[in-house]
Amino acid sequence: MASKFLLLALLAITSSIALASDPSSLQDFCVADAKNSGVLVNGLVCKDPKLAEANDFFFSGLQLAGNTSNAVGSSVTPVNVAQIAGLNTLGISIARIDYAPWGINPPHTHPRASEILTVLEGSLKVGFVTSNPENRLITKVLEKGDVFVFPVGLVHFQQNVGYGNAVAIAALSSQNPGVITIANAVFGSKPDISADILAKAFQVEKNTIYNFQSKF
C-alpha cells in the first residue's frame, strides 16, 4: 500500500513539472480566436484551422525604432500572442528593445518565461539577481552580437552604457511571458500598498515612500 501511494505521489510531481510551462500544442497550430469566443481558458481558444491564413502568423514593424523619449529612456515593442495570433500554444515570443544613450530597461521580471537577449547595436550593461537568501547580482557588459540569458522569474535589467542609441532583440519562452516592473508594482499599485508596510520593508521614512508613490 505504501509503495502505491509513493508511486502516485511521484506521478503527481512529474505531472506538475511537465505542465509547468506553456501548454504544448496537440495539432499543427492553434490560432487564437479571442475576439469571437467568450470562453476563458488557460491560453486562448483556437479558431477553426481551416480558416487560418498567412496573416495569423505574421507581424510587421520590428525594423521601426521605438520612442525612447520617456523617464527611463527605453521602449519595448512586444511581439507575443496579442500581436501574432498564431503564437497561441507555441510557447515563444519576441520583443525589440530600444535604448536612448544611458537609458535603462528598469528592473523587472517575466513570471512565465526565460529570456535570451541579443544586442544588435550599441553596448549594454545587463544583469539579474538570484533569489533569496543570496540575492547575488550577476552582471556583464555586452557588445554588438553578444547574447545573454535571464532565467525565468528572476529580477533583471539592461542599461545602455554607450553614447549612441542601442537596440536589442529578446526571445522569450512563452506566448505571453508577462512583465512585472518592480518600481511600478511596488510604488504604483492600485490601490497603494500601505506606506507603513513599504517604509518598514525599505527601512526609510514614510515621507520617502509618499514621494516615490507620487511618481508612479
Side-chain angles (χ1 to χ4, degrees):
M1 182 65 73
S3 61
K4 187 176 293 186
F5 279 121
L6 178 60
L7 177 60
L8 289 172
L10 288 172
L11 286 172
I13 292 169
T14 54
S15 297
S16 66
I17 293 172
L19 296 174
S21 60
D22 283 9
S24 299
S25 182
L26 299 177
Q27 53 208 28
D28 287 344
F29 50 79
C30 171
V31 175
D33 192 26
K35 291 182 180 178
N36 298 317
S37 175
V39 178
L40 298 178
V41 297
N42 183 27
L44 294 167
V45 174
C46 310
K47 76 177 184 181
D48 186 338
K50 296 183 179 64
L51 302 177
E53 55 188 17
N55 281 341
D56 291 325
F57 305 90
F58 173 78
F59 175 87
S60 179
L62 277 192
Q63 82 281 9
L64 301 174
N67 182 5
T68 59
S69 298
N70 52 56
V72 296
S74 69
S75 176
V76 178
T77 304
V79 185
N80 54 46
V81 72
Q83 288 75 37
I84 301 180
L87 284 176
N88 194 35
T89 75
L90 298 186
I92 55 170
S93 59
I94 195 169
R96 170 178 172 143
I97 312 166
D98 290 275
Y99 312 82
W102 303 102
I104 65 168
N105 189 9
H108 62 282
T109 72
H110 300 294
R112 294 180 289 276
S114 295
E115 174 182 344
I116 184 165
L117 183 90
T118 303
V119 179
L120 300 184
E121 295 291 342
S123 302
L124 293 178
K125 182 177 182 178
V126 305
F128 65 85
V129 180
T130 64
S131 56
N132 296 349
E134 290 85 5
N135 299 129
R136 186 161 65 98
L137 173 63
I138 296 176
T139 185
K140 188 171 181 63
V141 174
L142 307 181
E143 304 295 342
K144 182 177 179 178
D146 289 345
V147 178
F148 197 83
V149 173
F150 304 109
V152 59
L154 296 186
V155 175
H156 59 283
F157 63 87
Q158 302 104 40
Q159 180 187 31
N160 182 358
V161 291
Y163 290 94
N165 294 330
V167 183
I169 290 288
L172 300 116
S173 61
S174 172
Q175 68 181 45
N176 181 24
V179 60
I180 301 170
T181 304
I182 305 305
N184 296 49
V186 173
F187 298 112
S189 66
K190 298 178 180 60
D192 290 341
I193 299 174
S194 166
D196 288 328
I197 293 172
L198 294 181
K200 186 168 288 188
F202 288 94
Q203 300 179 36
V204 297
E205 298 295 327
K206 285 199 291 185
N207 283 340
T208 302
I209 298 299
Y210 293 138
N211 182 44
F212 287 159
Q213 288 176 328
S214 71
K215 299 178 186 299
F216 293 91

